[in-house]
Amino acid sequence: MSREHSYGYRALFSEPGIFMYALAAAFGKLQAGMFALGILYAVADQRTYSTGALVVAVSALGGLSTPLRGRLLDRYAYGVVLWTILVIHTVLVGALMVNEHVQGPFWITVASALLGNLAAPPIGVVTRVMWRSVTTETSRPAALAFDSVLADAGFILGPTMAALACVTLAPWAGLTAAVFFTAVATLLLPKNIGDDKSPAQQGERHWAGPLASSRLVLLLGAALCFATAVSVLEIALATPDESKDSQLLGGLLLSVLSIGSIVGGLLIGAMTPALAERATRLPVLLVVLAVFSTALTVGNGAGWLVAVPLCLLTGLSFGPSFVAVYGRSGDLAPPGTAAETQAWVGTALQLGSAAGAGAGGVLLDVWGRAGALALAPVAAVMGAVSAYAGDRVRTTVSAPHEEKVRSAQ
């Protein structure tokens, strides 16, 4: 098959330098999965696991600064921003580990964890921008699908590697490995990514950045609802009930969800660009998620023979939905706001996960597992409505913006 007629992973891995870029993305995904668990083990060694969990919770607030870091990337050279942030991040993480080693004041540990995450290099944001700059229209769907698969794999392997390093080497080894993977990912990223910051590329900056686009705001709302549905499913399925095998079954169901997500992402990457575009329509995907999560809500008490296939079918929509969110947000990003746009998408997904975990916990206490699971299809439908509304306002919003870009060029 010639390159002109290739598509999917064949087209992706024929792009120059793609293996190095894929390695950078993989290391970035591992770091994201290792950081929180690394903090937990580093703090729990000298204090308690509940104290470590508190530090992890506080450090997670640092993720809310990701859009600011994205704006810095859009305004200045990627290399300068990333390496500067990495140095600050490394110093702060080192301060946490040293303070724990000498059993210093607890407030220094908390401040170091929070500030360290505030200054964490946004590798995930950069790699999502990177895929759009190092691929063609033919290979881009496979790149976005591959990134989604890497995220799922990082979520599984990252914590496992952090725990293994902490248990076999030292309590601080997980955090050290997370910083190491961040540095390696930064080193492997393309050197010229984001170099074009000309007026024609950046357009007229609005003070609100990409949030000035109503289409993008509606997409962010859909992303938040999607993450809420996913988080509720994970929390509800992982919570054991009165049966003695429920804990084992919960772990199995979560694994099946992850497998479904990986398989769904891989399938999108193997499709032709035209078919991948049709298969990643976010409103349709979220309706599919609502249908299968409803079936899971109704059939969750029928035993693993029913629950496992339903979890697999539900998880199949996860990977394509992530591809749709990241791909569509890249298409809608106003000129000069590519990194900040992807940062806002990541923040919306984080907020949705937090909302789903919180609401799911409350519903579990009030109405049990079935009541918590019922929130998932509701959130998915709300996300589908938001995504559909964003698609419908396209013609009324995009025309003036396109005129500005043409006049600037």
Side-chain angles (χ1 to χ4, degrees):
M1 183 182 293
S2 66
R3 179 167 177 169
E4 289 76 9
H5 298 287
S6 65
Y7 57 87
Y9 298 111
R10 180 190 294 269
L12 174 63
F13 288 104
S14 66
E15 299 286 355
I18 201 68
F19 287 99
M20 184 176 294
Y21 306 150
L23 196 59
F27 280 147
K29 300 297 188 293
L30 284 174
Q31 180 273 340
M34 298 176 76
F35 187 73
L37 198 61
I39 290 179
L40 177 65
Y41 277 105
V43 175
D45 179 61
Q46 298 294 334
R47 306 181 194 271
T48 64
Y49 277 97
S50 60
T51 304
L54 173 63
V55 177
V56 170
V58 173
S59 72
L61 297 175
L64 298 178
S65 72
T66 307
L68 175 59
R69 284 170 278 164
R71 181 166 292 198
L72 290 174
L73 289 167
D74 287 326
R75 184 162 298 182
Y76 305 105
Y78 274 46
V80 173
V81 174
L82 286 175
W83 285 107
T84 301
I85 292 177
L86 178 60
V87 170
I88 298 172
H89 174 71
T90 303
V91 170
L92 290 166
V93 171
L96 184 151
M97 291 190 291
V98 170
N99 188 65
E100 286 302 295
H101 180 70
V102 301
Q103 299 183 20
F106 181 58
W107 69 267
I108 294 180
T109 293
V110 174
S112 298
L114 174 60
L115 296 175
N117 204 20
L118 282 169
I123 302 298
V125 170
V126 176
T127 53
R128 290 193 294 272
V129 176
M130 174 192 72
W131 291 127
R132 301 186 72 85
S133 65
V134 301
T135 58
T136 63
E137 293 292 335
T138 302
S139 60
R140 189 164 300 136
L144 295 174
F146 183 64
D147 193 77
S148 172
V149 171
L150 286 178
D152 281 319
F155 179 76
I156 297 170
L157 295 177
T160 303
M161 294 175 64
L164 183 63
C166 292
V167 170
T168 59
L169 298 176
W172 45 263
L175 265 183
T176 303
V179 174
F180 171 76
F181 281 129
T182 303
V184 173
T186 304
L187 188 65
L188 294 177
L189 287 169
K191 300 298 183 291
N192 60 344
I193 184 172
D195 278 354
D196 185 4
K197 301 185 187 297
S198 62
Q201 175 66 20
Q202 293 196 8
E204 295 183 13
R205 285 186 179 273
H206 191 278
W207 66 268
L211 298 185
S213 167
S214 57
R215 288 180 295 166
L216 187 58
V217 170
L218 288 167
L219 179 64
L220 293 177
L224 189 150
C225 292
F226 164 60
T228 299
V230 172
S231 181
V232 165
L233 288 171
E234 292 174 344
I235 291 294
L237 293 174
T239 302
D241 54 25
E242 292 78 11
S243 62
K244 63 179 182 179
D245 296 328
S246 63
Q247 191 169 7
L248 179 62
L249 178 60
L252 172 63
L253 296 180
L254 289 181
S255 298
V256 172
L257 277 178
S258 297
I259 291 171
S261 180
I262 291 173
V263 171
L266 287 172
L267 288 175
I268 295 298
M271 296 176 181
T272 64
L275 183 57
E277 183 179 2
R278 290 196 294 271
T280 53
R281 291 173 179 167
L282 189 57
V284 176
L285 286 169
L286 293 181
V287 168
V288 171
L289 173 58
V291 170
F292 285 117
S293 58
T294 299
L296 189 58
T297 301
V298 175
N300 81 95
W304 67 271
L305 283 175
V306 174
V308 168
L310 287 176
C311 278
L312 181 63
L313 292 171
T314 303
L316 282 173
S317 65
F318 288 4
S321 295
F322 280 114
V323 175
V325 168
Y326 288 131
R328 184 65 175 151
S329 61
D331 294 336
L332 294 178
T337 66
E340 187 179 353
T341 297
Q342 294 299 334
W344 276 114
V345 172
T347 300
L349 292 171
Q350 272 190 317
L351 291 174
S353 295
V362 172
L363 290 174
L364 279 168
D365 290 336
V366 177
W367 289 317
R369 177 184 287 181
L373 286 173
L375 179 59
V378 173
V381 169
M382 291 173 61
V385 171
S386 184
Y388 179 76
D391 290 342
R392 295 294 293 176
V393 300
R394 174 175 48 193
T395 54
T396 61
V397 177
S398 61
H401 173 68
E402 291 171 356
E403 290 297 328
K404 286 183 180 180
V405 174
R406 280 197 292 268
S407 63
Q409 293 174 340

